[in-house]
Amino acid sequence: MASLDLFAGENNDVTRFSERAYLLHGYVERDANAILEQLREVIKQSPLRQFVTPGGGKMSVRTSSCGDFGWITDRKGYRYTDTDTITGEPWPAMPAELKELAETAAKECGFESFSPNACLINVYHPGAAMGLHQDKDESDFSQPIVSFSLGLPATFLWGGLKRGGSPHKITLQHGDVLVWGGPDRLRYHGVKKLADGQHPLTGNVRVNLTFRVR
DNA sequence: AAGTCGCT
DNA sequence: TTGA
């Protein structure tokens, strides 16, 4: 696949929904086809899989990773690895164009030095969900999280720094990008059970990419 | 407990 | 919908 068009940046429609949490509406919409094409190549090397959590439950989301590190879980806990535990090979490289888009989005929100070395790929089919959790397996919480949404829309849940209370609901559409960091870096967050639907680019799935510094 | 269940 |  040819390089991305890198149209992102032309769209300045940004909603700030917490002190340092931002929704960039449609930020990667025009790059969506190219992003999905890159992901198909990644998934050929490291296939999607359903993890088991430490509690023994099976995640409904299908997951892979690219970059220097990939996020995994099993009964022993959550962690990053430098090789795919299925293939035994290093995780596929993070496509440079994706990394650049994530960095540009972070910069747009005032996170100047973001250089992700891990990208978690989560594919949601109808019925799949993500319970409220914190992204806390990384070592430097001064670095933000950047999240791309592609395909079917989803309801994002935005909680507090501790469990409890009712999370805010934010609709994520195809092409939207979320950035959160600073005092919001360890907020609980999740995704409501995905509603059935069809999207012209992805069919009946939602694709989510989260870029992190391990 | 990134899940599931049970009570409100 | 929330709390354990």
Side-chain angles (χ1 to χ4, degrees), chain A residues 146-161:
Chain A
V146 174
S147 166
F148 294 1
S149 291
L150 297 168
L152 291 179
T155 302
F156 185 67
L157 302 170
W158 187 243
L161 297 172

Side-chain angles (χ1 to χ4, degrees), chain A residues 88-189:
Chain A
E89 298 292 318
W91 294 102
M94 190 187 304
E97 297 90 342
L98 300 194
K99 185 169 189 279
E100 190 171 335
L101 280 171
E103 289 172 353
T104 306
K107 210 165 281 183
E108 199 83 16
C109 302
F111 296 100
E112 298 293 335
S113 62
F114 184 57
S115 180
N117 57 12
C119 173
L120 178 61
I121 302 157
N122 281 147
V123 175
Y124 294 71
H125 286 75
M130 184 79 74
L132 284 176
H133 67 280
Q134 297 171 298
D135 291 3
K136 59 178 182 185
D137 305 313
E138 301 76 30
S139 54
D140 182 0
F141 297 138
S142 73
Q143 293 300 321
I145 301 287
V146 174
S147 166
F148 294 1
S149 291
L150 297 168
L152 291 179
T155 302
F156 185 67
L157 302 170
W158 187 243
L161 297 172
K162 293 179 178 179
R163 284 194 183 277
S166 36
H168 294 293
K169 294 175 182 170
I170 296 161
T171 300
L172 298 179
Q173 302 283 356
H174 174 71
D176 287 351
V177 173
L178 286 176
V179 178
W180 70 91
D184 293 321
R185 175 62 178 73
L186 290 173
R187 287 258 195 175
Y188 277 89
H189 58 280

